[in-house]
Amino acid sequence: MSPRHCLSALFAVAVAAGCGPTPRLQTAEPPPRDLVVLAPEPESGAVGRLVVTTPAGAIELAQARESTTVSAGGAPGAVVVLAEAEIQRLFGPALAVQPPAAVRFNLYFQTGGDQLTPESRAMVADVIAGMRGRVAPDVTVIGHTDTTGDAGANTALGLSRATLIRDLLIQAGLDGAVVDVRSHGESDPVVATPDNTAEARNRRVEVTIR
Amino acid sequence: MPLQGMGRLMAVLCLTLGFGSTAVSAQPEDAAGRVKAVAGSAVIVRAGTASPARVGALVYESDILRTGTDGQLAVMLRDETRLSLGPGSDVTLGAFMFAPADGRLSLVLRIARGALSYISGRIAALMPDAVRLETPTSVIGVRGTHALIHVEAP
């Protein structure tokens, strides 16, 4: 046995006997370690704020690509700006399937009935374009009125306006089964008015495609 | 039976009878959202039972979204919140309530592992404190934003 092997053997015996350095506990998995990144919103580019809190402390992320790493039991680590390549490495597959943002349209009506204003009639094409290319879309169509006339009649009018828009979308090829049609009548105005007030901005159908 | 239970029972009956198995229908009030994209292996775990996540499938409060090592999954919640998961991810929809007329708003997501992209919807816009993203180590509060969260965990 070479002197080196001899030493190794001695060391092994010492460790086995509980002398020498304490062997570190081997865990099968690393402890939880989290990374939180603040990203710009994909459509608007707007950057909000994130507050990351643990029992040991808190940190705020307020600029695009700022990140913090947190290990179990610790406070959030100092803010680090991540390179775009690192964001892609960690989040590329998640970002690749991100759904497009919901879109909303307001279509306006002439007073007292379900005739669209000329401008809004032209806008129906935009609504239809907003549906195209969406996978498994959900469409909500909500009819609204101004406060002219009876509240009950306005609920019915809101519904007939919403139904008209739904039918236009179905004619354009939308599956009617995915459309949720409802009326808020005069109860949800954009512009608050006294009762029995004609207000063009409140005579509308709101279409949301998500 | 609570209303929510009724809704799910109806959903189960419809599936059993063969309705709605391919057709996408308007979201019932108790649904939290809908699957918008799937690649590779991805499942929705509901009451302990995993079923393959398919585009158009509904997602409910308490569901767990889980992707395999080759999986990607995207969901749009009813309040327009967008979630997308990379491979090897596990995200629980801990709470979802979107009843703005009654002021009842809540969104809790628990990311146990993997990669999540979260983009705020109307709950965060109306009541930022109603949104909580939880990881094994931290709680993340949002102020109208896009968050990316990566969790390394067993």
Side-chain angles (χ1 to χ4, degrees), chain A residues 34-35 37 51 98-99 136 138 177, chain B residues 26 34 36 117 135 137 148 150:
Chain A
D34 308 337
L35 174 73
V37 189
V51 179
Q98 201 162 257
D138 289 290
Chain B
R34 195 189 293 283
K36 300 292 185 181
S117 167
T135 75
T137 67
L148 301 170
H150 192 270

Side-chain angles (χ1 to χ4, degrees), chain B residues 31-117:
Chain B
R34 195 189 293 283
V35 173
K36 300 292 185 181
V38 182
S41 63
V43 296
I44 298 173
V45 183
R46 186 168 304 148
T49 304
S51 42
R54 295 205 169 84
V55 169
L58 292 171
V59 172
Y60 291 87
E61 185 179 61
S62 303
D63 281 357
I64 304 171
L65 309 173
R66 199 171 276 164
T67 53
T69 51
D70 64 339
Q72 292 157 278
L73 175 63
V75 169
M76 172 97 76
L77 298 178
R78 208 148 46 77
D79 78 315
E80 303 169 19
T81 296
R82 291 179 276 168
L83 309 176
S84 54
L85 284 66
S89 302
D90 182 310
V91 177
T92 301
L93 184 51
F96 181 84
M97 203 184 295
F98 181 56
D102 312 334
R104 290 185 302 131
L105 301 166
S106 172
L107 172 58
V108 177
L109 296 169
R110 292 192 197 98
I111 305 104
R113 62 187 164 83
L116 171 73
S117 167

